[in-house]
């Protein structure tokens, strides 16, 4: 008899909350599982912040759980000062290896809240950093980071403001 010990129920990032719940419900004993009622997406999308953050998309990553989504946004906002300072220091030192890792983390966190524009800019910087690490087109990629870092950090600031507005100040 052959038993599979692989990734039969693998879920890729970003995690779809509902799919994760389905997989957990499949393997956990039924007597320890409870389910929540979810709020419709339309109830949480503030029109004034919609262009920087797609709140409906971010909510989907949180299994349509508004409370969980708000907690993720709070964590994103609370980590802002430390992440911003870290990226600035790494940029100033031209430590592209650590910069690439840090900008990757910001990209992932931006995706988790639905901040697609910020995530896209972080991905571009991450890709340039990876090429530098692989010693490909180093002068071009360094120039790309140097010409796009400030704009991305400004977008990060604007995204934080939009997230804070969503949370109520």
């Amino acid at each position: 008899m052959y038993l599979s010990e692989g990734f039969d129920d693998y879920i890729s990032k970003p995690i779809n909350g509902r799919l994760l719940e389905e997989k957990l419900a499949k393997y956990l004993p039924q007597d320890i599982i409870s389910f929540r009622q979810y709020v419709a997406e339309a109830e949480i999308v503030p029109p004034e912040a919609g262009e920087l953050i797609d709140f409906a998309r971010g909510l989907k990553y949180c299994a349509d759980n508004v409370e969980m989504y708000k907690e993720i946004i709070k964590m994103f906002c609370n980590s802002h000062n430390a992440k911003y300072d870290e990226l600035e220091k790494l940029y100033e030192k031209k430590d592209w290896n650590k910069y690439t890792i840090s900008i990757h983390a910001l990209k992932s966190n931006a995706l988790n809240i639905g901040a697609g524009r910020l995530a896209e800019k972080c991905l571009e910087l991450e890709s340039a950093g990876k090429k530098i690490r692989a010693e490909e087109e180093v002068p071009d990629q360094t120039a790309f980071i140097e010409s796009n870092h400030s704009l991305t950090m400004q977008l990060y600031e604007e995204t934080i403001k939009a997230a804070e507005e969503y949370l109520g100040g």
Side-chain angles (χ1 to χ4, degrees):
M1 179 163 136
Y2 175 76
L3 293 176
S4 173
E5 293 185 28
F7 292 101
D8 292 341
D9 285 328
Y10 174 78
I11 301 174
S12 64
K13 286 179 16 182
I15 301 295
N16 175 314
R18 287 189 190 239
L19 181 59
L20 176 61
E21 284 182 353
E22 289 173 16
K23 299 297 181 186
L24 289 171
K26 180 177 172 181
Y27 294 104
L28 292 173
Q30 294 300 310
D31 60 326
I32 67 167
I33 298 174
S34 65
F35 295 93
R36 290 181 173 217
Q37 186 70 0
Y38 295 101
V39 177
E41 294 170 3
E43 295 178 32
I44 63 124
V45 180
E48 63 276 354
E51 80 179 60
L52 288 174
I53 301 174
D54 182 345
F55 293 100
R57 182 177 178 192
L59 186 61
K60 282 189 186 307
Y61 294 146
C62 293
D64 293 326
N65 181 321
V66 175
E67 293 83 25
M68 181 189 311
Y69 182 54
K70 285 182 178 181
E71 281 302 312
I72 302 254
I73 291 178
K74 283 179 193 173
M75 290 188 312
F76 182 78
C77 291
N78 290 340
S79 68
H80 165 259
N81 290 339
K83 178 56 74 178
Y84 187 96
D85 290 346
E86 174 186 24
L87 282 164
E88 286 296 312
K89 286 176 186 169
L90 295 171
Y91 174 78
E92 288 170 15
K93 291 195 297 188
K94 298 186 184 308
D95 185 342
W96 303 133
N97 187 42
K98 290 180 182 173
Y99 180 88
T100 302
I101 294 166
S102 188
I103 204 77
H104 168 82
L106 179 56
K107 175 197 70 179
S108 298
N109 291 334
L111 278 175
N112 285 337
I113 68 161
R117 284 180 50 202
L118 177 59
E120 183 179 323
K121 292 298 179 188
C122 290
L123 175 61
E124 291 171 359
L125 291 170
E126 177 187 359
S127 296
K130 285 180 177 179
K131 287 180 181 177
I132 291 170
R133 289 168 63 184
E135 299 180 7
E136 298 174 16
E137 307 169 20
V138 173
D140 291 342
Q141 300 308 316
T142 301
F144 179 84
I145 292 174
E146 289 172 345
S147 64
N148 287 281
H149 171 79
S150 293
L151 296 171
T152 302
M153 298 309 281
Q154 181 180 348
L155 181 58
Y156 185 21
E157 292 289 308
E158 293 169 8
T159 303
I160 288 295
K161 287 179 185 167
E164 288 172 341
E165 285 176 23
Y166 170 74
L167 293 173

